[in-house]
Amino acid sequence: MAPTRRPSDGLLARVNFPLYAVDMLTSRHILVAGGGGSSKTGVANGFEIYELYHNGSHFCAEEVLRHETGANVVMNFAVRNSGRRAYLCAGQEAHCQMYYVQPRIESEEDGDRDRKPAPVERPHENGVRQRGAAHSGVEALPNGHNNRQQNQSSGTSNQELLGKLHRLRFDIQAADVVQTDFLKSAEPLQRVVRISGNGQLMATGGTDGHLRIWSFPQIKLIKQLAAHTKEIDDLDFSPDSKCIVSISKDAQGIVWDLSTGKQHYKLQWQTPEGAKYLFKRCRYGTVEAHKDNYRLFTIANPLGKVGKQRGYLQQWDCTSGQLRAAVPIDESLASLAVRDDGRFVAVGTMFSGSVSMYIAFSLQRVLHIPHAHSMFVTGLQFLPITNEEGPPISSDTEAAVLSISVDNKVCIHSLQQRSTIPAWLAIVFMIVMIFVVFVFCSYIGI
């Protein structure tokens, strides 16, 4: 049975708007986005950045930056970190808005001097300036997860104290914007944006069913494919940036060759009892210790009245396009993530707000978090273990995944190091076996 959540895991932060997208800005900075839309509900639209750290017993989050986007809700985004700065491409209605995210070092004294309780004016991309409180609306958590200073009296390390003196902050600046969806029968909407692993391409999909490939970071249209007859739900580049997979509400999953713009193959499988299923999310993942090999993961949900039908987590062969493995899950699925080393996969559910973690190669469930959120899980993101964008966070966990929802919560769920045979026990076992073999050989006269 998969282990359940530790009491110290769970809620990291609660913001004052629904959340739709999450990613890691650096190896220890979380970026979340969402909002209440263009209606005059008083619910903000924008981004939040948090610094994540582990205090020895649990993960903690500290707010770094809030950036509001006026009347434009952020439904999806993609991040590319170039070292000196990061590029943030955000889906806002029918457009993709690029932002420059510029890091800067701030000393503790500078941070204290800049904090003012008085109201401040926040610029919006649409030119409107809104007065609001200096505080972002992030709720202070009673368990101390968002207060790093509480840990000083409980034995904070010298390294953390030094880190407090100079903190990494960010400035967000709006840059180019392009229209990426052109549906004519209704309001166009960008549903997904992705940036290739080599950082040279950007892909967008939306309600008009067209897959558009753009150059990056200078955004210019390269290819436009009439990929689907209905809106595109998700896209993902292969790790080698040679292929892209698209899934749509037309029940099709297609892998495209980026060099030719032609179909490589379609994702086809024998659905249970002949029921119709729709792919919901798709993600590539590398094979552990084999960076040149990769797998494709999808989640699929039954269409219409679900009854006793289940959602599926699926693993596909990227050479043949054949389904390798699939595990049924008792309800429809909403979100999917794969860790950067390809070892773990996570899914979030539609109705119960639960989060589960699986071993990628076997699809064996190793962690289950029932009712992690009060509503459907809109996004998942594993904490990275590579150091391409800075050192990863040290903790006592084998894996940790972030989850967000329209319930305004940012949560984290960690898999504890699974038990193995202690070294001393293995040595004792070997000695006993050698002794048994010696006695047996002596008994038979060998």
Side-chain angles (χ1 to χ4, degrees):
M1 180 179 296
T4 56
R5 181 177 62 203
R6 293 189 311 165
S8 58
D9 275 353
L11 185 62
L12 278 176
R14 183 185 286 113
V15 300
N16 59 356
F17 54 80
L19 295 171
Y20 298 108
V22 59
D23 205 345
M24 298 299 297
L25 183 60
T26 73
S27 61
R28 56 184 61 236
H29 287 89
I30 310 165
L31 176 64
V32 296
S38 57
S39 60
K40 296 180 180 180
T41 59
V43 180
N45 302 305
F47 304 98
E48 290 272 3
I49 299 177
Y50 300 96
E51 181 181 358
L52 188 67
Y53 63 99
H54 195 273
N55 69 358
S57 62
H58 55 250
F59 287 100
C60 308
E62 181 176 308
E63 182 191 2
V64 175
L65 175 70
R66 177 186 177 95
H67 180 86
E68 293 186 6
T69 55
N72 301 314
V73 60
V74 180
M75 300 294 294
N76 50 83
F77 68 75
V79 176
R80 175 69 181 181
N81 200 318
S82 65
R84 292 186 176 182
R85 68 180 177 187
Y87 298 94
L88 169 59
C89 299
Q92 298 177 358
E93 307 298 338
H95 296 78
C96 186
Q97 170 74 60
M98 177 184 281
Y99 297 88
Y100 299 139
V101 184
Q102 192 74 36
R104 57 183 171 82
I105 303 297
E106 180 186 83
S107 69
E108 187 80 2
E109 292 76 11
D110 292 338
D112 293 336
R113 188 164 51 248
D114 291 340
R115 294 191 187 99
K116 297 179 181 180
V120 296
E121 287 188 337
R122 297 194 183 97
H124 291 166
E125 278 65 47
N126 58 12
V128 178
R129 302 182 71 89
Q130 175 181 341
R131 293 187 65 84
H135 190 264
S136 69
V138 178
E139 179 177 327
L141 301 182
N143 59 9
H145 283 210
N146 66 337
N147 192 344
R148 185 192 297 247
Q149 292 183 356
Q150 290 181 1
N151 298 319
Q152 291 185 23
S153 60
S154 59
T156 307
S157 65
N158 291 334
Q159 185 175 1
E160 283 194 355
L161 289 174
L162 289 174
K164 282 179 58 60
L165 297 178
H166 294 87
R167 295 180 180 177
L168 189 63
R169 300 300 185 188
F170 300 91
D171 297 314
I172 295 183
Q173 177 186 357
D176 298 337
V177 59
V178 293
Q179 185 170 351
T180 60
D181 196 80
F182 298 87
L183 184 68
K184 296 180 180 180
S185 60
E187 287 192 18
L189 177 67
Q190 176 180 297
R191 294 295 309 277
V192 58
V193 57
R194 293 278 182 265
I195 300 172
S196 62
N198 60 14
Q200 299 176 2
L201 300 172
M202 183 181 81
T204 60
T207 52
D208 65 4
H210 284 69
L211 169 59
R212 293 178 173 87
I213 308 298
W214 312 76
S215 63
F216 187 84
Q218 287 75 34
I219 302 178
K220 295 181 179 180
L221 186 62
I222 299 175
K223 288 185 177 69
Q224 181 174 211
L225 308 176
H228 297 275
T229 58
K230 294 185 178 180
E231 66 183 78
I232 294 175
D233 276 329
D234 205 5
L235 303 167
D236 202 26
F237 284 98
S238 61
D240 59 9
S241 302
K242 294 181 179 179
C243 298
I244 189 170
V245 57
S246 64
I247 60 174
S248 165
K249 283 185 170 55
D250 62 6
Q252 298 292 315
I254 304 174
V255 176
W256 304 87
D257 187 316
L258 285 171
S259 62
T260 63
K262 296 181 179 180
Q263 290 186 20
H264 190 29
Y265 53 77
K266 289 186 177 181
L267 304 179
Q268 297 178 327
W269 61 299
Q270 188 65 40
T271 59
E273 302 178 356
K276 188 173 183 179
Y277 274 72
L278 298 182
F279 295 109
K280 180 67 174 178
R281 294 287 181 264
C282 54
R283 290 291 183 274
Y284 281 100
T286 58
V287 178
E288 283 187 275
H290 300 279
K291 292 185 178 180
D292 295 333
N293 297 327
Y294 47 89
R295 309 180 181 99
L296 174 62
F297 299 91
T298 58
I299 53 176
N301 294 326
L303 180 65
K305 295 182 179 180
V306 296
K308 294 184 179 179
Q309 296 171 5
R310 300 173 171 179
Y312 279 86
L313 169 62
Q314 303 164 313
Q315 181 195 115
W316 302 82
D317 185 292
C318 290
T319 302
S320 64
Q322 298 298 311
L323 183 64
R324 279 183 173 178
V327 293
I329 298 170
D330 290 336
E331 63 174 298
S332 294
L333 303 173
S335 51
L336 173 69
V338 183
R339 199 167 75 169
D340 53 2
D341 65 345
R343 186 175 184 182
F344 294 103
V345 178
V347 298
T349 65
M350 183 70 71
F351 301 113
S352 67
S354 302
V355 175
S356 297
M357 193 182 301
Y358 295 79
I359 298 174
F361 81 91
S362 65
L363 297 188
Q364 175 190 354
R365 194 171 73 176
V366 291
L367 183 66
H368 179 58
I369 319 298
H371 307 290
H373 294 272
S374 59
M375 303 179 73
F376 61 94
V377 181
T378 52
L380 294 169
Q381 180 65 41
F382 277 95
L383 297 192
I385 63 166
T386 59
N387 59 356
E388 294 179 0
E389 298 163 1
I393 299 171
S394 299
S395 69
D396 57 352
T397 62
E398 188 173 355
V401 65
L402 298 159
S403 65
I404 60 170
S405 171
V406 291
D407 64 2
N408 301 12
K409 296 178 182 178
V410 183
C411 298
I412 191 165
H413 320 286
S414 58
L415 175 66
Q416 297 303 294
Q417 294 288 343
R418 289 167 290 170
S419 58
T420 57
I421 299 177
W424 67 267
L425 185 59
I427 294 173
V428 170
F429 178 77
M430 292 176 63
I431 294 173
V432 171
M433 289 300 299
I434 293 172
F435 177 75
V436 170
V437 171
F438 178 77
V439 171
F440 178 75
C441 292
S442 300
Y443 177 76
I444 62 177
I446 297 178

